[in-house]
Amino acid sequence: MNQFYNRHFLKLSDFSKRDIFELLRISLKLKNDKKKNKEIKKLYNKNIILIFEKESTRTRCSFEIACYDQDAKITYLDKHNSHIGYKESIKDTARILSQIYDGIVFRGKSQKDIEILSQYSNIPVWNGLTKEFHPIQILADLLTIQEYLINKSLDKIILTYIGDINNNIANSLIEASLIIGFRLNLISPKKLWPNNNTLLNNLLNQDKIFITDNIDEGINNTDFIYTDVWLSMGESSKLWESRIHDLHIYQINKKLLLKTKNKNVKVMHCLPSLHLYNHYKKYFNNTIISKYNLFNGLEITDEVFESKNSIIFKQSENKLHVIKAIILLTLLKNKY
Ligand code: CP
Ligand code: NVA
């Protein structure tokens, strides 16, 4: 039996370092097989349900295509076309869906909800993003990073995350660093550091994690620099002004890349991103954009987003392959 069979995937720390390397190995094999038209379809008798309480482009499409590629059937539910969480509890939903389906993808408001879902489901539950974690994204990111490494292993890299360190991407990166053992620098204004003291002290005491509000201190010699939107799904749009005020100096731009002193530094973003003024201008009044001079991008400038340092679209490409690996390994008993 393979080590992943029938397991849930709610957060990265559900898996060991060995599990993650095995997942990455199989994801890469699946990626190559698909490119060479050699993929073997193994999920022809499986039915998968996708429950998305929040919007998605990449994650939803990658789950759907992973299923289609493997001949599994899917149903998609969002908060408008089901009873979940309103007329019907998550606990009841879990027991009903477990009788009909073979696996559940859940993107939702909170980690607590996916924990309840998994507790009452006797089929694998996979996290498609919660407010607290986004493990599938970080698996795709690790695969992407691995593809760019020459003579260096994943545990030897320096990755710097800059911006809102209170969100799902930062939390899952922290888990990745603790499991894999790579160096993670977190750069953010002190106001956005975890306000739970135990959590913060725990972070401050980690050998491989360095947290600072000082860009120069955190960025030197980094191999990868990662950012995310300054306001995540589910957060009140009223927070935009204070986030922009707190985070505008932490934008990834050309000047910031120079500070890394690494001309080959790779730039990462989970997407979606607010880098193109003509796209995001409709969300903000011009006063705030002018006040902070954010005509060239918010968390990242368009120039850097489109530069040769950016590996952003590789990250989104790899989502399909890691998702396929997780579905296959948790649904099928045999070793892959
Ligand atoms: N990065 C990511 O999860 O994208 P979507 O919200 O489009 O799924
Ligand atoms: N932190 C972002 C990630 C989107 C993929 C959000 O939760 O909106």
Side-chain angles (χ1 to χ4, degrees), residues 54-56 58-59 107 128-134 137 161 164 166-170 226 228-235 269-272 319:
K54 291 178 169 179
E55 306 80 34
S56 169
R58 276 146 293 273
T59 311
R107 169 171 285 204
L129 177 149
T130 59
K131 178 177 182 293
E132 292 86 353
F133 293 106
H134 197 3
Q137 176 66 49
Y161 176 89
D164 174 16
N166 254 321
N167 71 13
N168 39 23
I169 295 293
Y226 200 131
D228 185 12
V229 282
W230 290 339
L231 196 78
S232 286
M233 288 183 275
E235 293 192 289
H269 194 308
C270 56
L271 298 180
K319 211 163 214 186

Side-chain angles (χ1 to χ4, degrees), residues 98-130:
S98 294
Q99 294 170 322
I100 308 175
Y101 290 95
D102 300 287
I104 304 177
V105 189
F106 182 77
R107 169 171 285 204
K109 288 191 288 287
S110 82
Q111 193 68 13
K112 187 88 209 120
D113 287 347
I114 199 170
E115 278 165 13
I116 297 170
L117 192 64
S118 65
Q119 200 182 335
Y120 292 95
S121 299
N122 52 21
I123 55 175
V125 174
W126 309 294
N127 186 344
L129 177 149
T130 59

